Amino acid sequence: MKRINPKVDALLSKPEWQEERKKLRALLLDCRLDEEVKWGKLCYSFQNNNVALIFGMKAYCALGFFKGSLLKDPEGILVAPGEHSQAMRQIRFTGAHEIDAMQETLKAYLHKAIEVEKAGLVVDFKEKHELQYPEEFQQALEGNAALKAAFEALTPGRQRGYILHFSGAKQSSTRTSRIEKCVPGILQGKGFNDR
């Protein structure tokens, strides 16, 4: 049975993408999903499994699907939020009229996402086993047992986030600087994008 979280009011009162958030929220609640606030976003789950979230960016408002890569996309409307995204897919909107025009399609995608959860399907994160640690980070891990233990305790996604950040630097000095700046967060068990 759907639950409405009163803490959502603060997010819905923000002027950015207000009408779009409200329309998407109505669709998600109509699909009998539970509502929470996670990561500062409206998050919807089925039997305690995250299914979708609503969030606003500067140029668009989006409906994101946590396991979107497992969804069939006959309409060709799902996009990966970034080049390294493995699971998340989103549908982007620049106005409430687009949501109105796509209501039935959006409901169909939401029902597919719920079916993915019912079936217990999981995304195969192939790249988590294929991570190439930069030499500078490998040396930092070998020289600091606490750092190595803390890094290994992170979730695969958090590990991947750090490795992508470190590897994105072209120069060794930049990689070293990035690693040094991230050590406190790793030791605290935080991911690269965690606040």
Side-chain angles (χ1 to χ4, degrees):
M1 182 164 193
K2 66 181 176 184
R3 291 183 291 128
I4 297 175
N5 186 333
K7 295 179 183 178
V8 168
D9 292 341
L11 283 173
L12 292 176
S13 66
K14 289 184 177 182
E16 304 87 16
W17 306 109
Q18 187 177 57
E19 186 179 354
E20 292 79 6
R21 288 178 204 262
K22 288 181 179 180
K23 287 181 179 287
L24 289 170
R25 178 185 189 224
L27 280 171
L28 288 153
L29 292 176
D30 191 45
C31 290
R32 305 178 72 90
L33 293 170
D34 291 329
E35 179 178 68
E36 296 180 59
V37 176
K38 293 184 179 180
W39 312 286
K41 315 269 187 283
L42 297 171
C43 185
Y44 298 85
S45 61
F46 175 79
Q47 296 179 348
N48 296 320
N49 293 311
N50 294 332
V51 173
L53 53 84
I54 301 169
F55 57 96
M57 302 296 279
K58 287 182 183 178
Y60 60 86
C61 181
L63 172 62
F65 295 91
F66 285 92
K67 295 181 181 177
S69 63
L70 299 178
L71 299 178
K72 291 184 178 158
D73 186 18
E75 304 291 326
I77 56 177
L78 293 174
V79 295
E83 67 176 292
H84 299 293
S85 299
Q86 294 184 61
M88 176 66 78
R89 295 295 181 268
Q90 56 186 230
I91 303 172
R92 298 175 179 171
F93 309 97
T94 56
H97 64 282
E98 294 173 344
I99 297 167
D100 290 336
M102 295 178 67
Q103 257 192 9
E104 293 308 312
T105 301
L106 295 175
K107 282 185 182 178
Y109 277 67
L110 286 164
H111 288 296
K112 288 179 192 175
I114 293 167
E115 290 303 317
V116 164
E117 287 306 325
K118 284 181 180 177
L121 301 179
V122 294
V123 175
D124 179 17
F125 292 100
K126 295 176 185 171
E127 291 181 26
K128 73 180 176 188
H129 303 294
E130 300 168 8
L131 289 177
Q132 297 295 317
Y133 289 32
E135 183 179 330
E136 298 82 359
F137 187 57
Q138 189 64 45
Q139 290 173 356
L141 292 175
E142 290 170 5
N144 185 335
L147 177 63
K148 183 175 183 178
F151 188 76
E152 289 174 354
L154 294 174
T155 64
R158 286 187 169 121
Q159 290 177 2
R160 186 170 174 266
Y162 279 117
I163 297 302
L164 291 173
H165 176 62
F166 302 152
S167 301
K170 294 180 182 175
Q171 296 183 359
S172 177
S173 61
T174 307
R175 286 190 293 274
T176 300
S177 174
R178 287 183 179 187
I179 292 165
E180 290 170 357
K181 288 179 183 174
C182 291
V183 166
I186 294 170
L187 292 173
Q188 292 173 12
K190 293 182 177 181
F192 176 68
N193 293 313
D194 292 350
R195 296 178 197 186

